[in-house]
Amino acid sequence: MNLLSVERPLQRIVLLEDNGAAAKQLSIRLAVDGVPSVVVARNWQQAMDLLVPDLESVILARETFLPIPQCSVPVILLTHGTADALPVGVVDSISDQASDGELFRCLRYAGERAALQVALTRAASDDPLTGCCNRQVLQDRLKQGMCRATRTNQPLAVLSLDLDNFSHVNDSLGHVAGDAIIREVADRLRHLLRSTDTVGRMGGDEFTVILEDYDSHANLMHVMKKVIDGLAEPYRVDEESLLLGCSIGIATFPEGGQTVDDLLLRAGLAMQQAKAQSGCHFHFYDERINLQASRQIEFEGELRRALRNNELELHYQPRVELSSGRIVGVEGLIRWRHPERGLLGPNEFIPLAEENGLIVPMGYWVIARACHDLSILQRQGIDLHVAVNMSFRQFLDGRLLATIERLVAKTGIDPRKLEFELTETAVMQRPEQVQQAMVGMTGLGVRFSLDDFGTGFSSFVHLHRLPINLLKLDRSFVRGTAERPADRQLVAAMIDMGHSLGLQVVAEGVEERVQMEILRGMGCDQIQGFFISPALPFDELCYFADAYSMGRDNVLSGTPQCSPAS
């Protein structure tokens, strides 16, 4: 039995002994089966030279060799008696009169303690998945690198690297496959970069690299191209080939920042700028990015205040039935009456709300406002469906169904007149979860329409299963119907397909009479667009609905009709 066997067994014992006879006798005692090789050194320099990298070793040293210099392996003090206290640098001591078993156990425990210390050090400094340094160690190395760069007048750059759409890998292939790709990315970076460069994992699929002494801007560009090309190569996952883009932001010292936090922040801002482009790209930080980010942060604060200060409005665009010419519904479109910038359309703030999570409380505000306005329409005897857009993130909120139930009960509306519009992209992200939420709400009587139809990648199997009542053709298809036969054929096919699914079809973006006539000839059910009316504030909508009811025949026959100013 090997008394020295541990998880990583000792492979060499270095004996520091200046007495040749004593060294020979101890070597004979240790030279038994299963015991590591024993080599004798006469001084510390010889002992250090006998240590082999990656070879698990321990040093046995006599008291005459005190004090102990800085050493990378455990040192055991060999005494003639019992040591009262362990000197600095010594992990244990043992008498040279101890039995072989005691000596072996002492050596084994020293090796185990050393292995444990190494493991603890690595756990505190290394990322457990990739072996790269962790955030804390990377920040320490960056601080040291900045000091060296200042002292030697050498360049330093920080790279913030993030994989594009990596969440889809975990969602579709699972976290085991995702972890395998993260490890592969770390291995590629280590292979592509120099041993003097630092690669750190900041969490998830985000890495940070510190490049020092790259001499010139041209060399830095060469490194970036090499990294981009290396990470653009396919990844093998379960015998399948997978392509992933990456985005890299670069901040150089001192131009991009003179503190650790500034460099990391600005490299991250540059990385977000690179993400705005599809494929693998890198982007250098400049002050314009910082100004843009500051403005965005300020704008986000203003948007939060807008929710609290009742600065949001819901405008309504009418939807007309072509067979009768009646206004049968309206779509509620959110607006922000900014105190300084005036009336803002949804494209100017909805993407930000989606990004920071404000879209959920904003969505609840929209639903509450639509229910309130629908109740007024019903009291005035105006029979319209009121539709509002619903974000996919709204579907993920567990309070959605209960909130709609409460609002319907509070306002006393007919829930059959309330309609939610979903995009193809939202429906197809998690079709089963979306279907479950839709079924719960249709139980209340509300309706659903599929917005921007034709711009996404719908699975008709899922569409057939979803409780959808209307398909809304995107304006990009309607726009060319008057000039291009191919567009007319495409729109006609989409209308026929919607009818084959038992759905009504609404054409959005109708701006000219000729477009309306073509759509009516194709059998389109409803139209919506500037030809009828732009989106109107609620008070103007009520006036418009009343005026329109008296002159709707003129709209279909061709007689001009005035629309209220908006």
Side-chain angles (χ1 to χ4, degrees):
M1 175 181 176
N2 185 357
L3 294 176
L4 296 178
S5 61
V6 291
E7 185 176 350
R8 296 185 64 186
L10 289 175
Q11 297 166 293
R12 169 163 290 190
I13 298 174
V14 177
L15 175 60
L16 257 174
E17 175 63 84
D18 52 6
N19 185 318
K24 183 177 180 180
Q25 182 180 5
L26 190 57
S27 298
I28 294 173
R29 287 180 60 192
L30 294 172
V32 298
D33 290 340
V35 175
S37 62
V38 181
V39 293
V40 179
R42 301 297 182 185
N43 53 55
W44 278 108
Q45 185 58 54
Q46 287 184 6
M48 297 301 183
D49 293 340
L50 290 170
L51 297 176
V52 179
D54 299 325
L55 200 66
E56 297 298 320
S57 306
V58 67
I59 295 177
L60 270 172
R62 286 285 184 186
E63 292 174 298
T64 54
F65 291 92
L66 295 176
I68 308 297
Q70 186 174 358
C71 187
S72 60
V73 301
V75 177
I76 299 174
L77 191 62
L78 194 61
T79 67
H80 293 294
T82 302
D84 296 329
L86 294 179
V88 176
V90 174
V91 300
D92 204 351
S93 67
I94 191 168
S95 170
D96 56 5
Q97 302 301 315
S99 66
D100 293 350
E102 290 176 316
L103 182 58
F104 293 154
R105 281 192 293 274
C106 181
L107 292 169
R108 183 185 67 191
Y109 295 152
E112 288 176 343
R113 281 196 296 271
L116 179 60
Q117 185 61 46
V118 170
L120 291 174
T121 302
R122 287 177 177 171
S125 61
D126 293 356
D127 172 60
L129 179 62
T130 63
C132 299
C133 64
N134 60 22
R135 182 187 297 268
Q136 181 179 353
V137 173
L138 182 129
Q139 290 175 332
D140 290 341
R141 291 188 183 180
L142 178 55
K143 185 176 182 180
Q144 296 169 13
M146 291 164 63
C147 292
R148 285 191 295 270
T150 301
R151 187 172 61 251
T152 62
N153 198 28
Q154 289 292 327
L156 179 146
V158 175
L159 279 55
S160 179
L161 184 149
D162 186 81
L163 299 179
D164 297 336
N165 299 316
F166 182 74
S167 60
H168 295 317
V169 175
N170 284 330
D171 292 341
S172 58
L173 300 179
H175 289 277
V176 173
D179 288 349
I181 289 177
I182 292 296
R183 286 192 293 267
E184 176 69 17
V185 170
D187 291 341
R188 291 189 189 187
L189 286 174
R190 283 188 286 248
H191 176 72
L192 293 166
L193 300 170
R194 303 168 300 178
S195 59
T196 54
D197 298 325
T198 298
V199 178
R201 182 177 177 228
M202 310 300 277
D205 60 319
E206 184 179 348
F207 291 84
T208 297
V209 176
I210 304 172
L211 298 178
E212 299 184 60
D213 300 338
Y214 50 82
D215 292 333
S216 67
H217 186 76
N219 282 345
L220 179 58
M221 297 292 287
H222 174 73
V223 172
M224 296 310 306
K225 185 178 185 305
K226 187 167 70 169
V227 170
I228 287 287
D229 291 344
L231 295 182
E233 291 293 321
Y235 297 85
R236 300 290 297 178
V237 179
D238 295 333
E239 304 303 322
E240 293 186 12
S241 182
L242 183 67
L243 289 173
L244 285 176
C246 69
S247 302
I248 303 177
I250 309 142
T252 57
F253 173 78
E255 299 85 3
Q258 300 187 30
T259 68
V260 169
D261 289 343
D262 283 348
L263 279 174
L264 292 175
L265 172 64
R266 290 166 180 175
L269 290 173
M271 183 266 291
Q272 293 298 329
Q273 195 80 357
K275 267 193 177 298
Q277 308 175 65
S278 59
C280 294
H281 288 280
F282 61 87
H283 200 283
F284 282 85
Y285 168 81
D286 61 49
E287 193 58 37
R288 289 173 297 175
I289 301 175
N290 187 38
L291 181 60
Q292 181 181 0
S294 299
R295 287 175 177 170
Q296 183 171 358
I297 293 172
E298 181 181 351
F299 194 53
E300 179 178 335
E302 293 175 353
L303 184 55
R304 293 183 186 277
R305 288 192 295 273
L307 273 170
R308 296 194 300 267
N309 298 342
N310 200 29
E311 296 174 8
L312 301 178
E313 301 177 6
L314 210 55
H315 291 195
Y316 296 93
Q317 187 170 40
R319 212 169 64 202
V320 168
E321 183 180 61
L322 285 174
S323 61
S324 65
R326 293 188 305 111
I327 298 177
V328 293
V330 292
E331 178 184 356
L333 300 168
I334 193 169
R335 301 289 188 265
W336 177 9
R337 196 165 294 280
H338 193 280
E340 297 175 0
R341 298 170 59 181
L343 192 65
L344 303 181
N347 291 339
E348 298 185 70
F349 59 91
I350 289 297
L352 176 61
E354 289 274 10
E355 182 179 328
N356 61 26
L358 281 176
I359 194 66
V360 175
M362 188 178 294
Y364 283 128
W365 180 89
V366 168
I367 297 171
R369 187 72 211 184
C371 290
H372 172 270
D373 292 345
L374 179 55
S375 68
I376 296 176
L377 291 174
Q378 290 179 352
R379 287 197 298 271
Q380 293 181 357
I382 301 176
D383 184 20
L384 295 177
H385 285 93
V386 174
V388 292
N389 293 280
M390 182 172 286
S391 166
F392 172 70
R393 294 186 68 170
Q394 196 92 43
F395 270 102
L396 303 181
D397 190 86
R399 301 169 298 167
L400 178 60
L401 181 59
T403 301
I404 295 174
E405 287 179 325
R406 179 176 55 81
L407 289 172
V408 167
K410 179 180 178 181
T411 56
I413 63 170
D414 181 354
R416 294 172 298 178
K417 297 297 182 180
L418 184 61
E419 188 178 299
F420 295 113
E421 295 190 2
L422 307 170
T423 64
E424 289 184 75
T425 304
V427 169
M428 296 311 299
Q429 277 186 278
R430 296 185 187 175
E432 291 80 12
Q433 187 170 352
V434 169
Q435 182 179 7
Q436 184 179 1
M438 291 175 72
V439 169
M441 284 186 279
T442 53
L444 299 176
V446 301
R447 303 200 315 169
F448 288 94
S449 60
L450 190 65
D451 198 13
D452 299 337
F453 181 68
T455 60
F457 301 93
S458 293
S459 165
F460 295 112
V461 173
H462 284 115
L463 287 184
H464 184 65
R465 294 174 180 170
L466 294 173
I468 294 173
N469 302 94
L470 297 94
L471 288 184
K472 301 191 73 174
L473 304 185
D474 187 71
R475 65 185 66 246
S476 60
F477 299 107
V478 174
R479 188 180 301 122
T481 52
E483 297 84 14
R484 293 187 290 271
D487 285 10
R488 289 196 293 273
Q489 293 174 2
L490 178 60
V491 169
M494 296 169 75
I495 292 172
D496 290 341
M497 183 181 61
H499 289 163
S500 68
L501 293 172
L503 306 175
Q504 288 190 308
V505 179
V506 182
E508 295 183 293
V510 177
E511 300 180 356
E512 303 171 2
R513 174 171 296 279
V514 62
Q515 294 171 339
M516 180 192 72
E517 297 295 350
I518 290 172
L519 290 164
R520 183 162 55 179
M522 293 177 179
C524 185
D525 300 289
Q526 301 176 27
I527 61 170
Q528 176 182 333
F530 276 33
F531 176 70
I532 302 299
S533 171
L536 304 170
F538 182 71
D539 291 341
E540 291 185 23
L541 171 72
C542 294
Y543 167 78
F544 178 82
D546 184 57
Y548 183 92
S549 64
M550 294 185 291
R552 66 170 182 261
D553 291 339
N554 296 333
V555 175
L556 296 182
S557 64
T559 305
Q561 174 164 333
C562 296
S563 297
S566 61

